[in-house]
Amino acid sequence: MVINCDICKEEFSTKSSLTRYLLNKHNVTSETKKKVISKCLSCKDKTFSKKKMLIEHLNTQHGMCIKEETMHFSSVSGTTMT
């Protein structure tokens, strides 16, 4: 199984490797990750804290056909840190 960094798409074989990489490369801690809010680029007032909910919204409200395992969170969502 391959796990991708949502920020730069670097690939990792374990979640712990990704966590260590996020901290060292992007200065992202577990607390920072909890604060990630994803916005729908078409709906100005729609935000989502979970990738699954954003994908569901894009598929049902905007006629997209996105599979969760093929989408990088930041590439479609306009991810921002608060």
Side-chain angles (χ1 to χ4, degrees), residues 11-27:
E11 295 181 353
F12 300 90
S13 58
T14 64
K15 188 174 180 176
S16 62
S17 297
L18 172 60
T19 301
R20 190 170 40 255
Y21 175 81
L22 286 169
L23 178 61
N24 294 329
K25 178 73 174 181
H26 300 298
N27 199 29

Side-chain angles (χ1 to χ4, degrees), residues 23-80:
L23 178 61
N24 294 329
K25 178 73 174 181
H26 300 298
N27 199 29
V28 174
T29 64
S30 59
E31 281 303 309
T32 307
K33 281 179 75 174
K34 291 177 185 175
K35 294 180 181 180
V36 171
I37 297 173
S38 184
K39 296 180 181 179
C40 174
L41 297 176
S42 298
C43 302
K44 295 185 189 267
D45 62 340
K46 293 284 184 181
T47 60
F48 305 88
S49 60
K50 296 185 180 190
K51 178 165 86 170
K52 183 177 181 176
M53 299 305 293
L54 172 64
I55 292 169
E56 183 178 313
H57 169 79
L58 292 171
N59 289 342
T60 59
Q61 299 300 314
H62 300 292
M64 295 182 167
C65 185
I66 300 170
K67 294 181 181 177
E68 184 173 356
E69 63 273 7
T70 62
M71 187 182 112
H72 293 286
F73 200 46
S74 59
S75 65
V76 174
S77 64
T79 301
T80 59

